[in-house]
């Protein structure tokens, strides 16, 4: 594997672990803004579960275990949480400094590089 791919994979893994820990601790309330109102699961349970999933995915990415499979799973995770980002924009819910429709909408395309990096860095 090339050095740039390894750096991207480990960096994405570290970012996921950081985000996952923040789900469980200091940013828990902020992440609730991303949980769609139509989801039939408690907001806090959703935030906690997604945090645990991010920690597991991040650790697996960083360690390099089953790279290709973990990369696909991470990409699928980024796709799966995208409706939460859309919901935050659609419902006008503030979180993480996204306090306007313009800011919330501008964030939506940022899922694409995450998906791409998860797949590219684990080839």
């Amino acid at each position: 594997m090339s050095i740039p791919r390894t750096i991207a994979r480990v960096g994405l893994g570290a970012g996921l672990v950081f985000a996952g820990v923040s789900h469980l601790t200091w940013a828990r309330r902020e992440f609730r803004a991303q949980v769609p109102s139509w989801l039939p699961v408690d907001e806090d349970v959703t935030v906690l579960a997604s945090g645990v999933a991010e920690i597991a995915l991040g650790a697996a990415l960083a360690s390099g275990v089953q790279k290709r499979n973990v990369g696909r799973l991470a990409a699928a995770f980024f796709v799966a949480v995208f409706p939460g980002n859309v919901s935050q924009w659609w419902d006008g819910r503030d979180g993480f400094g996204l306090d306007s429709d313009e800011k919330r909408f501008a964030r939506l395309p940022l899922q694409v590089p995450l998906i791409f990096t998860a797949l590219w860095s684990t080839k």
Side-chain angles (χ1 to χ4, degrees):
M1 176 161 293
S2 72
I3 291 174
R5 286 179 194 229
T6 300
I7 290 169
R9 178 180 50 77
V10 172
L12 184 60
L16 278 167
V17 169
F18 179 82
V21 170
S22 73
H23 274 70
L24 306 179
T25 57
W26 68 87
R28 198 161 155 184
R29 181 174 299 182
E30 295 286 321
F31 278 109
R32 290 182 191 146
Q34 297 175 345
V35 178
S37 58
W38 49 263
L39 195 66
V41 181
D42 179 73
E43 284 182 354
D44 202 45
V45 170
T46 303
V47 169
L48 293 173
S50 62
V52 169
E54 284 183 335
I55 292 168
L57 281 171
L61 277 172
S63 73
V65 174
Q66 294 286 323
K67 283 184 282 225
R68 178 166 261 163
N69 291 335
V70 172
R72 290 176 180 161
L73 193 57
F77 177 81
F78 291 133
V79 170
V81 299
F82 184 69
N85 297 342
V86 173
S87 175
Q88 183 179 10
W89 163 67
W90 188 263
D91 294 336
R93 296 174 79 183
D94 294 349
F96 297 107
L98 302 172
D99 54 4
S100 70
D101 288 340
E102 294 78 17
K103 289 178 184 177
R104 289 184 285 269
F105 185 78
R107 189 210 29 195
L108 295 178
L110 298 179
Q111 288 299 105
V112 174
L114 292 173
I115 294 164
F116 172 79
T117 302
L119 296 173
W120 174 79
S121 68
T122 56
K123 278 189 174 178

